[in-house]
Amino acid sequence: MSTAHESTDVITPEALQALPQPLETKGDWDHVFSYHPMDRVLERAEGIYLYDDQGQRYIDASGGPFVMNLPHNHPRMKAAITDQLERFAYPHPTMANPERARYGKMLAEILPGTLNTSYLVSGGSEAVETAFKLARQAQIARGFPDKFKIISHRDSYHGMTLAALAASHNPVSQRHFVPMIQQWPNVRQYSDFDRPDGVSREDWGVQCAQALEEVIHYQGPRSVAAFIATRHGSGPDYATVPPVSYWKTIRDICDRYNVLLIADEVVTGFGRTGRWFGMEHFDVEPDIMTLGKGISSGYIPFAAVAITDALKATFTDTNTGFVHGFTMGGHGLACAAGKEVIRIIQDENLLENCRTQSERLFSYRDQLMAHPTVADVRGWGLYMVAEVVRDKNTMEFFEPDQNAERLFQGIALKNGLALYGTLYGPRRQAAFRRGIPIWISPPLTITTEQVDDLMARLLDTFSEWEQKVLS
Ligand SMILES: Cc1ncc(COP(=O)(O)O)c(C=O)c1O
């Protein structure tokens, strides 16, 4: 494959030294707590590109942390936010905020099924907390005051606040906070890595989902309020898309035991998978849906929780008020940004472009898999994960002192790619006998030429990196 940029055949120590390094927290940076970027300073961003203060251009290959469903610096986004700013930014709580109503109506029009009502917050973790409190209050209102437990997938990710952390069941991010968080039950995810030979994905989907029934059974159905999960896998199985049978079986089990199903669509919402929401691929309606990231495409902090008509009726029929609230929820600028995101996705046919460019992106699967360190390539829409290992046979990752992730990111930046996956380096622990995800999730406006350019740079990055870390 020919590439549009220069790449070195051998990484000399001098060339390594010249690679981007982690930011040294000196000078002004000394006043910024717990910050882990590389030493490239962002100056401006346009379309799918980021520009540093030296004029170097980088493809935003992961859309930040899968947040940029729209491109950077979209003129309509700027106009929508500034128009609202001319009228009001912060809506006074004692006066009706028409932006909240307008946004809620637009959102209901694109949400599947009867998810017609939303509660607005400012970030994905807040949305998850809100969903848990909604589930608990709904169960009380329905006459089940003993239902309080939230079941979730082992080694998943639902955010960093204490309840979201509890539901994430990740030993690395929980480790200091164990005494402070709820010890809720967890259940396995769908995985193709332990699917027995001769068992179809559909059958395995049913079997994996049945693990939920077992956990509910042993916890006592009287105590379980809700089950939360992302549409695709997390942790080592990041971006593994389960078969339809998985979600249909989960829905059946939840119905059988009066457990509310919470779909965490913080990552998969707003077109990322080629449809408005990931759950639409499975024709299964959750009771509660959490939304974030792409909801405002990173233009302003915003998130939401959508509930079904039936769940809303639980509150209205029993005259139960929802005991909750955040100062910034329903902010005028966030609603304006959210409305324009929906309009732009519609006007620019971005769901269709996502599906078209997805085919192009995944056409590189074999070339990626030909690399000795790529154990798997999976995902959907414009969301691709390459699972990276040291050895495909043992499925082990590199030793921490090899700084393999940091080196990968440095070479990627040198090759004009800004990736999110490797930014996780300082905090992340390689899963036992599984790899680390490299995420590719560019803005949904990406063109075929840009996909080709991105992938050429990524393939070169793998080659250069392997020469260094496998030698
Ligand atoms: C699936 C999922 N849920 C919730 C969150 C939390 O969102 P935030 O970081 O906006 O609090 C994230 C963040 O990455 C996420 O991936």
Side-chain angles (χ1 to χ4, degrees), residues 14-332:
E14 295 73 36
L16 257 184
Q17 209 63 44
L19 287 175
Q21 302 291 321
L23 182 76
E24 274 192 71
T25 49
K26 287 183 179 160
D28 291 351
W29 298 111
D30 201 20
H31 305 280
V32 184
F33 185 57
S34 187
Y35 193 44
H36 309 289
M38 302 290 275
D39 61 359
R40 293 292 189 265
V41 177
L42 182 63
E43 179 80 12
R44 67 187 181 88
E46 180 83 41
I48 67 159
Y49 301 109
L50 308 165
Y51 296 85
D52 71 15
D53 59 354
Q54 307 299 308
Q56 291 296 317
R57 195 185 78 172
Y58 308 87
I59 298 177
D60 185 357
S62 54
F66 349 114
V67 70
M68 297 301 303
N69 290 12
L70 297 187
H72 293 273
N73 204 22
H74 197 297
R76 281 180 56 180
M77 288 302 294
K78 290 192 289 188
I81 294 167
T82 46
D83 284 355
Q84 177 61 34
L85 197 52
E86 295 290 340
R87 295 189 294 130
F88 64 85
Y90 188 75
H92 195 282
T94 59
M95 294 184 71
N97 171 8
E99 290 310 307
R100 191 190 280 259
R102 288 187 195 114
Y103 181 69
K105 182 164 180 288
M106 281 185 78
L107 187 59
E109 279 162 13
I110 60 162
L111 278 164
T114 66
L115 289 153
N116 286 320
T117 311
S118 53
Y119 191 94
L120 305 182
V121 296
S122 311
S125 303
E126 276 185 14
V128 167
E129 299 278 335
T130 303
F132 292 167
K133 290 174 77 176
L134 260 163
R136 165 74 179 146
Q137 258 203 262
Q139 295 289 16
I140 295 171
R142 287 169 166 187
F144 303 101
D146 295 336
K147 280 183 169 284
F148 71 95
K149 292 176 189 162
I150 310 286
I151 303 179
S152 57
H153 281 151
R154 202 150 44 240
D155 207 357
S156 54
Y157 189 78
H158 297 288
M160 280 292 183
T161 51
L162 290 174
L165 206 55
S168 299
H169 294 287
N170 178 309
V172 179
S173 47
Q174 282 191 355
R175 66 191 185 283
H176 299 304
F177 309 105
V178 170
M180 300 168 71
I181 58 183
Q182 290 287 330
Q183 298 306 305
W184 283 326
N186 59 63
V187 66
R188 61 155 302 153
Q189 304 185 28
Y190 177 86
S191 175
D192 286 311
F193 273 83
D194 60 354
R195 178 158 55 93
D197 287 345
V199 176
S200 70
R201 292 192 94 236
E202 286 295 316
D203 288 348
W204 188 232
V206 174
Q207 288 182 44
C208 291
Q210 278 166 346
L212 175 63
E213 183 161 23
E214 194 177 310
V215 171
I216 294 173
H217 175 78
Y218 283 108
Q219 289 294 321
R222 281 174 62 103
S223 69
V224 180
F227 170 64
I228 184 170
T230 48
R231 305 311 82 216
H232 58 210
S234 194
D237 282 298
Y238 218 109
T240 298
V241 181
V244 170
S245 63
Y246 179 79
W247 284 111
K248 289 223 179 278
T249 309
I250 291 282
R251 179 71 269 184
D252 288 349
I253 294 168
C254 287
D255 288 344
R256 209 170 315 140
Y257 295 99
N258 180 19
V259 168
L260 293 166
L261 176 55
I262 305 172
D264 185 341
E265 295 256 11
V266 166
V267 169
T268 46
F270 297 92
R272 180 53 65 195
T273 69
R275 304 188 70 162
W276 278 108
F277 302 97
M279 210 63 185
E280 291 172 56
H281 295 265
F282 305 99
D283 193 25
V284 165
E285 186 177 59
D287 303 290
I288 301 175
M289 200 186 258
T290 54
L291 305 165
K293 295 194 188 262
I295 191 172
S296 61
S297 266
Y299 279 82
I300 213 141
F302 193 30
V305 181
I307 58 172
T308 58
D309 293 341
L311 199 62
K312 183 184 176 188
T314 302
F315 284 83
T316 47
D317 293 354
T318 54
N319 213 8
T320 302
F322 182 35
V323 185
H324 197 50
F326 295 111
T327 302
M328 294 297 169
H331 196 280

